[in-house]
Amino acid sequence: MPLKIVILAAGQGKRMHSKLPKVLHTLAGKPLLQWVIDAATDLNPAQTIVIYGHGGEQVRAAFTSVTADAEAVSFGVQATKVPQRQDPSYLEKITWVEQTQQLGTGHALQQAQHYFNDDDQILVLLSDTPLISTTTLRELITDTDKNALGLVTVTLDDPSGLGRIIRDAEDNVVGIIEDKDCNEQQQEIEEINTGIMLLPGKELKHWLGNLTAKNAQGEYYLTDVIANAVADQVPICTIEPTFTEEVMGVNDRSQLAYLERVYQQLAAETLMLSGVSFADPTRFDLRGELDVAQDVFFDINVIVEGKVAIGQGSKIGSNVILKDCVIGENVTINSNVVIEESVISDNCIIGPFARLRPGTQLAGHVKIGNFVETKKAIVGEASKIPHLSYIGDANIGKNVNIGAGTITCNYDGVHKNITTIEEGAFIGSDSQLIAPVTIGAGAYIGAGSTISKNAPAGKLTISRSKQTVIENWKPPKKNE
Ligand code: UD1
Ligand code: CA
């Protein structure tokens, strides 16, 4: 029977106190709603419907731009080496349904009911429960009979604020009572509704039709379908999540920060189990996907964003940001380095204090030192850019030495132009290479030169004026 997933994402999220709709707040760099969409997509349903409402335009725009951004990632380097982000086309398969007035979770589901057929199973997910795992959802689907109602519940020491599961003497679920509607005795109940339900399409439509807003919050509660199911003698099956935090909701920023740490701790533990070491696993942040080989070491405060791959034995120093890049084997990245959309081959040494911008591609044994910025720079085997340089739109051969303070002047105010430096060239310190320009193989450029024409291979080219001494010069004096 077809599985249809409805994600409730229209609520305002009052307790966030934010101009940004709650579902766009991020956990590990990804909007809350996207976490839930990703979980839904993994289940490969017949249809995924997102009920949106509060901040609707912002929500729709955010998901359109996620698509655009992902498509825009063209690294300008050998694309085969760089992992591409997830194919964004799954977003096009989502049905967006607007709930113009947010009258409660039951009212939210009513907005999608014309999509439900009698033989569908409807899985309801909440957009503010980002860590829900597909393991738990699959278990719910497997354990719930096709004509039954499935619920994910959990027992908490502090159930305050959540809907309580009411059971009869035989332990059968007979209802859910929202926190604000509980009497004192019901408030003691520790088993709560996670909000995740699997509903039989055949019954759901008339259950939704029966909902009223006669409760403490004056809302149409989805949780009232339970009493309907009991009245219709539809069996109710409950399962527990694999771990408690996956069903915890984000209602305020403190809960969001808590779940962020839960996620980061799990991410670090998973990496350690696969052979990665951390100076301190609590000071590591993964905001994307990391594909990592054994014996990689992370010093403190490393942030990994987007898609990153790191080869065997590489060492990542403190305060490093790696975004959408490939790092080879035995690479040393010293502290305070930022690398984005770049490929770093085996045995390179980078930093400290270097910034490698999109399109940087380093062959093996390259050294990039402190205060060096690169962009669209292809650097050959064993070349060195050790200090204080800007290298942009450059093709550099192997065994090239770039002296301190060298600048590729790649921009003429309108166009970007290429600097080519051939194998074995030596660029003296404080040189400006005005692109388009080529420095021939084995050429030497005298320190302090401004090079605006091609420099021939194997020759010394200097453009600075000769040093002179002004004989009659006197230091200036103050007017008397
Ligand atoms: C809900 C459940 C509660 C459960 C808790 C688990 C109901 C009535 N209550 O309470 O039993 O313990 O989740 O976290 O279902 N939404 C809409 N439209 C609306 C209202 C809400 O789309 O009109 C969406 C919100 O964006 C949110 C979700 O539904 O993603 C849950 O809404 P929220 O107001 O957070 O419900 P809770 O009070 O947390
Ligand atoms: Ca909630």
Side-chain angles (χ1 to χ4, degrees):
M1 50 198 302
L3 174 70
K4 292 187 177 163
I5 302 182
V6 183
I7 302 173
L8 308 185
Q12 177 178 4
K14 260 190 218 123
R15 289 165 278 179
M16 296 297 282
H17 298 286
S18 177
K19 290 212 165 104
L20 192 69
K22 178 163 78 177
V23 297
L24 296 185
H25 282 258
T26 57
L27 185 145
K30 187 159 89 173
L32 297 180
L33 176 54
Q34 177 128 30
W35 279 93
V36 183
I37 289 177
D38 287 353
T41 306
D42 282 350
L43 296 173
N44 200 18
Q47 190 179 16
T48 299
I49 301 166
V50 177
I51 310 292
Y52 73 104
H54 183 82
E57 273 178 34
Q58 250 175 304
V59 173
R60 291 303 310 274
F63 279 86
T64 321
S65 72
V66 163
T67 314
D69 279 348
E71 277 170 356
V73 177
S74 86
F75 292 90
V77 295
Q78 287 169 12
T80 48
K81 282 193 165 182
V82 182
Q84 296 295 314
R85 288 186 191 177
Q86 190 180 350
D87 174 8
S89 64
Y90 73 94
L91 280 174
E92 288 157 23
K93 294 183 200 136
I94 287 171
T95 310
W96 295 86
V97 173
E98 191 173 8
Q99 182 194 22
T100 42
Q101 268 187 302
Q102 288 81 53
L103 303 179
T105 49
H107 180 257
L109 196 61
Q110 282 171 355
Q111 310 309 303
Q113 61 184 342
H114 55 282
Y115 289 107
F116 306 156
N117 298 321
D118 282 359
D119 63 342
D120 289 340
Q121 267 188 310
I122 315 296
L123 175 63
V124 177
L125 302 177
L126 307 185
S127 64
D128 64 354
T129 309
L131 295 185
I132 183 65
S133 74
T134 46
T135 314
T136 297
L137 296 177
R138 285 208 177 92
E139 194 187 322
L140 178 68
I141 294 164
T142 315
D143 287 11
T144 307
D145 210 58
K146 76 178 175 78
N147 294 316
L149 185 157
L151 271 184
V152 181
T153 74
V154 72
T155 300
L156 300 178
D157 291 342
D158 177 11
S160 57
L162 297 160
R164 307 298 204 284
I165 305 292
I166 312 293
R167 291 183 185 263
D168 65 12
E170 275 81 52
D171 221 26
N172 298 311
V173 174
V174 291
I176 299 177
I177 311 252
E178 287 305 296
D179 185 66
K180 290 201 172 101
D181 301 290
C182 281
N183 62 33
E184 262 178 46
Q185 204 188 344
Q186 290 162 336
Q187 273 189 337
E188 299 297 313
I189 298 170
E190 291 180 335
E191 188 186 9
I192 61 96
N193 169 35
T194 63
I196 295 156
M197 302 184 183
L198 188 63
L199 302 156
K202 189 154 177 270
E203 318 289 349
L204 183 56
K205 278 193 201 174
H206 74 262
W207 292 346
L208 287 174
N210 289 343
L211 298 181
T212 66
K214 288 181 203 141
N215 51 56
Q217 302 187 83
E219 288 183 2
Y220 295 88
Y221 291 161
L222 177 56
T223 43
D224 287 348
V225 299
I226 306 302
N228 279 277
V230 174
D232 287 350
Q233 295 182 323
V234 169
I236 298 175
C237 147
T238 61
I239 66 150
E240 298 221 327
T242 318
F243 66 104
T244 305
E245 284 83 359
E246 65 170 295
V247 293
M248 288 176 77
V250 172
N251 297 298
D252 58 35
R253 292 177 196 250
S254 157
Q255 289 169 333
L256 178 57
Y258 176 74
L259 287 188
E260 174 82 32
R261 285 304 107 203
V262 166
Y263 173 79
Q264 295 303 349
Q265 192 190 332
L266 272 174
E269 268 165 29
T270 309
L271 289 166
M272 287 188 285
L273 289 175
S274 72
V276 171
S277 287
F278 291 94
D280 179 354
T282 67
R283 284 182 285 175
F284 170 76
D285 285 83
L286 177 59
R287 299 175 191 159
E289 286 168 46
L290 175 58
D291 175 6
V292 72
Q294 290 180 344
D295 298 315
V296 165
F297 171 78
F298 288 99
D299 209 328
I300 59 168
N301 297 335
V302 174
I303 299 175
V304 172
E305 289 182 63
K307 276 203 172 187
V308 172
I310 306 177
Q312 166 96 23
S314 288
K315 292 188 168 47
I316 315 297
S318 57
N319 307 317
V320 167
I321 300 177
L322 303 177
K323 184 174 182 188
D324 293 313
C325 57
V326 178
I327 313 278
E329 295 180 2
N330 296 313
V331 169
T332 301
I333 297 181
N334 293 306
S335 62
N336 299 294
V337 168
V338 178
I339 301 180
E340 186 177 351
E341 290 174 31
S342 296
V343 176
I344 315 297
S345 303
D346 299 349
N347 304 301
C348 285
I349 301 176
I350 317 289
F353 300 100
R355 180 170 181 213
L356 277 49
R357 295 172 56 204
T360 297
Q361 186 179 350
L362 309 181
H365 292 97
V366 165
K367 182 175 175 357
I368 303 281
N370 40 209
F371 307 107
V372 171
E373 174 180 345
T374 62
K375 189 185 179 208
K376 286 194 182 157
I378 297 176
V379 183
E381 183 86 17
S383 287
K384 294 185 173 68
I385 312 172
H387 332 267
L388 296 157
S389 288
Y390 170 68
I391 304 296
D393 298 288
N395 287 322
I396 298 177
K398 53 186 178 182
N399 297 315
V400 166
N401 196 311
I402 308 266
T406 298
I407 308 288
T408 53
C409 307
N410 59 331
Y411 188 50
D412 61 13
V414 183
H415 307 106
K416 294 283 177 68
N417 300 296
I418 305 279
T419 300
T420 302
I421 304 176
E422 293 175 352
E423 179 176 346
F426 179 98
I427 313 297
S429 297
D430 193 28
S431 293
Q432 302 95 53
L433 309 176
I434 302 180
V437 72
T438 296
I439 312 298
Y444 268 59
I445 301 297
S449 292
T450 301
I451 302 295
S452 54
K453 294 193 199 87
N454 293 347
K459 300 245 162 71
L460 171 65
T461 302
I462 305 184
S463 75
R464 60 179 190 246
S465 55
K466 276 201 176 120
Q467 185 166 329
T468 51
V469 176
I470 312 297
E471 293 299 344
N472 299 323
W473 178 84
K474 287 197 181 78
K477 280 186 184 149
K478 273 196 176 165
N479 291 341
E480 273 151 13

